[in-house]
Amino acid sequence: MADAADDIEGLSFEQALAELERIVGQLESGQAPLEQSIALYERGALLKAHCEKRLEAARLRVEKIVMGAGGVATAEPAEFN
């Protein structure tokens, strides 16, 4: 499972969301055997957590945007750990 998590860490939000949508479609179709469905569900849970982490990082980054002198917007870089 560590390999799957490492693999997911390298995905962008958009890539992870697209894969999660494919997994949901497969699970909803009911065509996958039980063991494969469980594996898909586990990967989907990891992808969901990854997407939530990316969204939270983006939210924090937006919150750091402040109005600078003269009404010019400035931003501080956010850490994406």
Side-chain angles (χ1 to χ4, degrees), residues 15-55:
Q15 292 168 325
L17 184 60
E19 185 176 346
L20 181 56
E21 289 173 343
R22 282 191 300 274
I23 287 173
V24 169
Q26 286 180 280
L27 291 171
E28 286 180 340
S29 76
Q31 299 299 312
L34 179 60
E35 288 302 316
Q36 183 183 3
S37 292
I38 292 170
L40 287 169
Y41 187 86
E42 289 173 340
R43 182 153 177 92
L46 291 172
L47 288 163
K48 178 184 173 283
H50 178 71
C51 286
E52 289 172 344
K53 180 179 169 184
R54 292 284 184 159
L55 284 174

